Amino acid sequence: MRGGEVAWVQPKEKGQRPSARSGHTLTVTKEKAILFGGCGVNDGEAGAHRAARRRNQRISRPCAPPARPPRPPLTPPRARRAAVFNDTYILHITDGYRWELVEPNGEVPSPRWRHTATLLPDGNTTLVFGGLCKGKRFNDVHVFSLDRQEWSVREVAGTPPHPRSHHTANLVEFDEEEDGEAEKKIFVIGGYGGTGSCRDFSLDVHAIDLDTWTWSRIERIKGSAPKPRADHTVCVAGHLLILSGGRGASTKGFAGFFDDVHVLDLADQEWKRPTGYQPGGATSGNFPALPSTLWNHQACAIESVPSFKMFVFGGQRAEFSYSDQVHVLDTARMMWVQPHIAGAPPSAREDCAVAYDPKTCQLLYFGGWRQGWLDDLWCLNVAGIVGPPYAVQSIAPITGPVTGNTPIVIRGIGFVESPIVQVKFTDGKREGTVV
């Protein structure tokens, strides 16, 4: 693959593929992808809850099944109906993209869509928060153990966010403290919901401290906060949260659709302005916007050297106008770049699920909506932009005596634990290997 290139591939799948849906989640770990929930076409599997939803009206209104499905049905038409799901599938990535419908143990979450699913630091457990079913929104917390294939309710102390859907949830691992432990939190931002019968867009920031399993609302954030919204994306780039797009309340002269990009610096607890910005100065107070207004899109920031790269795909650009474009944000320069794209892309869509597989440098996309629910799996190879899944970032000390024998510390990303480590040194003419 050439540098600066990304490549689309539609892999051949095996096993029992999930039915067509949108608003579901996909989480990758241990060479597997976990799919949960969503709203779509019920093929008769247990655990689905019928609920007609009108996808392209206001969030609070229900969706109807598509009149013209974009692909041939997986089951006879007479068996298909609109539904909200609480099924769990595992995609075995290294086993020829084999789907497995799981019959999990424990307390399975109720059917829902437009929830969030976040992989916890143990690399085995996925945390599900919030979501929507039949007009009811949730603020409960559930966890799924991949090893045990078991769901359980997770009690969290403190005051949770109000019930919501169409929000975001991201794991952030802060730098290690003096005791060698890193602070770990899940940040929930925005969405649509409220207490009781109240419904509104929000841009509040909440966090679950994973050391104490306690909710807290992040108050006194400095800077100019984005407008309240839902259907936005938030990506983690180190200690930064990058928010893009979404939709909110419409007003006179404003349709309610966003193209803006905002950066929340968690270290300073501040919504940042671009470097060099001064009120009244020549530098704009806004980061470069998305190529168009965009909501219900997918975004994923991938660690790379020297900076994270944020990939954006799909979404609605205007009402009933869907995108099949890929855009890349260089988070160091905060500039959008247009990659060279190889392979035929998926059809334009919104509300699909995405997860990144670091082993193969591929973004996985499943399903979505475009005037009908979709059930296709696509892979976007991004190795041409992010590079290999490992890299050396620093060596300390950078100099030493010519006699050698100086202990050094090598830091990087993607390193694999091993009892034997070989390091090769070279100055371009000579080389040596140390075990």
Side-chain angles (χ1 to χ4, degrees), residues 252-267:
K252 184 177 181 180
F254 175 61
F257 309 130
F258 297 103
D259 64 356
D260 49 356
V261 173
H262 299 266
V263 176
L264 176 57
D265 188 325
L266 294 173

Side-chain angles (χ1 to χ4, degrees), residues 373-420:
W373 285 294
L374 304 170
D375 65 351
D376 46 353
L377 174 68
W378 289 84
C379 299
L380 181 66
N381 192 310
V382 297
I385 291 180
V386 304
Y390 59 87
V392 174
Q393 294 177 304
S394 66
I395 299 177
I398 58 174
T399 61
V402 294
T403 54
N405 297 318
T406 301
I408 63 171
V409 176
I410 302 174
R411 291 185 171 86
I413 59 174
F415 290 175
V416 178
E417 290 189 12
S418 172
I420 300 177

Side-chain angles (χ1 to χ4, degrees), residues 76-221:
R78 58 184 174 83
R80 296 164 65 84
R81 61 184 185 271
V84 178
F85 303 105
N86 64 344
D87 47 4
T88 305
Y89 285 84
I90 293 177
L91 176 65
H92 299 266
I93 299 171
T94 56
D95 186 15
Y97 296 95
R98 177 175 60 85
W99 287 105
E100 175 192 359
L101 175 61
V102 177
E103 297 183 3
N105 302 310
E107 301 176 73
V108 179
S110 60
R112 64 191 65 203
W113 63 303
R114 290 317 307 256
H115 53 282
T116 51
T118 310
L119 183 66
L120 297 186
D122 64 4
N124 174 67
T125 310
T126 299
L127 182 146
V128 166
F129 170 74
L132 163 70
C133 183
K134 288 190 68 177
K136 180 180 180 181
R137 286 167 173 81
F138 307 104
N139 63 349
D140 49 356
V141 176
H142 302 261
V143 292
F144 176 72
S145 168
L146 177 61
D147 290 346
R148 298 195 304 271
Q149 296 196 1
E150 180 180 34
W151 282 102
S152 59
V153 175
R154 190 55 164 96
E155 299 295 334
V156 183
T159 303
H162 63 247
R164 64 188 64 200
S165 59
H166 302 75
H167 55 283
T168 62
N170 302 84
L171 170 67
V172 178
E173 299 189 56
F174 295 89
D175 293 336
E176 292 184 358
E177 305 291 343
E178 292 182 0
D179 60 4
E181 293 295 325
E183 187 179 16
K184 306 173 185 69
K185 292 183 177 181
I186 291 178
F187 288 85
V188 174
I189 297 181
Y192 186 79
T195 302
S197 61
C198 297
R199 297 286 182 271
D200 204 355
F201 297 95
S202 63
L203 211 286
D204 48 351
V205 180
H206 298 258
I208 299 177
D209 187 319
L210 296 179
D211 292 325
T212 62
W213 285 95
T214 303
W215 280 109
S216 64
R217 178 165 178 162
I218 311 303
E219 306 279 9
R220 300 179 182 176
I221 299 177

Side-chain angles (χ1 to χ4, degrees), residues 202-413:
S202 63
L203 211 286
D204 48 351
V205 180
H206 298 258
I208 299 177
D209 187 319
L210 296 179
D211 292 325
T212 62
W213 285 95
T214 303
W215 280 109
S216 64
R217 178 165 178 162
I218 311 303
E219 306 279 9
R220 300 179 182 176
I221 299 177
K222 297 173 287 186
S224 180
K227 292 181 180 179
R229 66 191 67 196
D231 296 328
H232 54 291
T233 64
V234 171
C235 294
V236 179
H239 58 85
L240 304 178
L241 295 181
I242 302 175
L243 180 151
S244 70
R247 61 174 170 171
S250 58
T251 58
K252 184 177 181 180
F254 175 61
F257 309 130
F258 297 103
D259 64 356
D260 49 356
V261 173
H262 299 266
V263 176
L264 176 57
D265 188 325
L266 294 173
D268 296 337
Q269 284 199 194
E270 179 179 5
W271 290 103
K272 291 291 189 180
R273 295 285 194 177
T275 302
Y277 167 73
Q278 293 291 336
T283 302
S284 170
N286 300 317
F287 291 102
L290 289 159
S292 68
T293 56
L294 205 61
W295 68 97
N296 270 345
H297 53 297
Q298 290 294 342
C300 184
I302 300 173
E303 189 171 13
S304 179
V305 176
S307 63
F308 283 78
K309 304 296 189 296
M310 188 176 91
F311 294 81
V312 173
F313 169 72
Q316 280 200 67
R317 296 172 293 202
E319 287 191 288
F320 305 105
S321 175
Y322 303 92
S323 173
D324 64 355
Q325 299 297 300
V326 175
H327 302 282
V328 182
L329 179 68
D330 184 328
T331 64
R333 298 180 296 160
M334 290 303 293
M335 291 180 58
W336 290 99
V337 297
Q338 188 61 46
H340 179 270
I341 299 177
S347 61
R349 67 192 63 202
E350 65 166 338
D351 213 9
C352 60
V354 65
Y356 179 62
D357 177 21
K359 298 290 186 182
T360 60
C361 286
Q362 291 190 135
L363 287 162
L364 307 179
Y365 297 90
F366 181 83
W369 169 274
R370 185 191 180 187
Q371 299 303 98
W373 285 294
L374 304 170
D375 65 351
D376 46 353
L377 174 68
W378 289 84
C379 299
L380 181 66
N381 192 310
V382 297
I385 291 180
V386 304
Y390 59 87
V392 174
Q393 294 177 304
S394 66
I395 299 177
I398 58 174
T399 61
V402 294
T403 54
N405 297 318
T406 301
I408 63 171
V409 176
I410 302 174
R411 291 185 171 86
I413 59 174

